[in-house]
């Protein structure tokens, strides 16, 4: 397994829609394992393939936060949101591609998602709470959408400028 570098906004690959995964190959399995390792190391609770520069509709997440609970690593391939609740919830979101920037984002509080697992089987699950927020944040990544796209233009521009400065500094280092 390899920790893969996470792309930082602005980057054209973070704004493109990713392509469906046709079949679960050895390469897809390796990607999923690398993404989980990269996510835990960040640390994060979710990660989408475009964030490591791979334009495939694959995301990983593990929103178990209690240290005394067993982790629940999940790999979702070609995920589709089948249903979203009317009720909405607000969460202060962050993003591993937009480090150290946080802002409140409102999303449907519960979603029903269908996806293909690494075993090639279709599965459906109802998510609520932080899992619902996270899976919607990750599926947005597969569609080239970032949480800052939900913010007012001035706030979004401010964050983008900070990331451009960060990238200039990292390039010099
Ligand atoms: O996709 C990503 O960049 C990882 C995101 C996933 C996420 C963002 C907002 C809300 C839920 C999930 C995070 O940066 S992972 C870091 C993190 C950890 C705990 C709570 C919020 C964010
Ligand atoms: Zn993100």
């Amino acid at each position: 397994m390899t920790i893969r570098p996470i792309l930082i906004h602005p980057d054209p690959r973070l704004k493109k829609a990713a392509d469906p995964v046709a079949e679960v190959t050895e390469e897809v399995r390796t990607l999923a394992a690398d993404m989980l390792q990269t996510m835990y190391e960040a640390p994060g609770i979710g990660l989408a393939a475009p964030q490591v520069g791979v334009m495939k509709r694959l995301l990983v997440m593990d929103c178990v936060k209690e240290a005394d609970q067993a982790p629940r690593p999940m790999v979702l391939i070609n995920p589709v949101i089948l249903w979203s609740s009317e009720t909405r919830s607000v969460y202060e979101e962050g993003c591993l591609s937009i480090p150290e920037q946080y802002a409140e984002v409102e999303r449907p509080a519960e979603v029903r998602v269908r996806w293909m697992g690494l075993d090639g089987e279709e599965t459906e699950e109802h998510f609520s709470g932080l899992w619902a927020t996270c899976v919607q944040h990750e599926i947005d990544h597969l569609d080239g959408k970032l949480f800052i796209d939900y913010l007012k233009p001035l706030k979004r521009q401010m964050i983008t400028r900070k990331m451009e400065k960060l990238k200039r500094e990292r390039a010099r280092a």
Side-chain angles (χ1 to χ4, degrees):
M1 285 196 284
T2 318
I3 291 180
R4 301 194 186 203
I6 295 176
L7 300 181
I8 303 297
H9 167 75
D11 185 308
R13 290 163 291 184
L14 292 173
K15 300 302 286 172
K16 259 172 62 57
D19 305 313
V21 173
E23 64 164 309
V24 182
T25 60
E26 204 41 49
E27 184 205 349
V28 167
R29 283 178 210 290
T30 303
L31 171 64
D34 291 353
M35 283 174 62
L36 278 167
Q37 189 185 7
T38 303
M39 178 192 78
Y40 284 124
E41 191 270 342
I45 56 173
L47 190 65
Q51 292 182 274
V52 292
V54 177
M55 301 313 290
K56 289 183 192 292
R57 300 188 76 80
L58 184 155
L59 69 91
V60 298
M61 63 179 179
D62 180 352
C63 303
V64 173
K65 291 180 76 157
E66 297 68 33
D68 59 343
Q69 280 196 356
R72 191 192 171 193
M74 296 189 79
V75 177
L76 279 66
I77 299 170
N78 303 332
V80 175
I81 295 178
L82 302 174
W83 169 89
S84 303
S85 62
E86 292 292 312
T87 47
R88 299 171 70 80
S89 65
V90 176
Y91 194 91
E92 183 164 54
E93 299 197 11
C95 183
L96 297 175
S97 296
I98 310 176
E100 327 271 311
Q101 306 303 312
Y102 300 92
E104 290 202 336
V105 176
E106 186 185 320
R107 297 181 188 269
E110 304 186 41
V111 287
R112 189 159 182 75
V113 181
R114 184 179 62 228
W115 70 91
M116 178 172 66
L118 284 175
D119 56 3
E121 296 298 312
E122 287 290 316
T123 309
E124 280 185 29
E125 186 159 333
H126 183 109
F127 293 104
S128 59
L130 182 55
W131 286 92
T133 297
C134 183
V135 76
Q136 292 177 84
H137 176 110
E138 301 311 333
I139 291 175
D140 270 355
H141 272 302
L142 303 183
D143 295 330
K145 202 168 171 74
L146 301 171
F147 82 91
I148 56 172
D149 296 334
Y150 295 96
L151 309 183
K152 292 188 174 74
L154 210 57
K155 175 88 173 150
R156 179 167 54 250
Q157 280 160 22
M158 224 173 66
I159 290 175
T160 300
R161 291 228 174 87
K162 279 187 190 166
M163 292 298 105
E164 286 165 339
K165 182 170 180 286
L166 176 77
K167 289 176 82 165
R168 282 197 301 274
E169 285 158 1
R170 284 191 179 180
R172 270 207 305 273

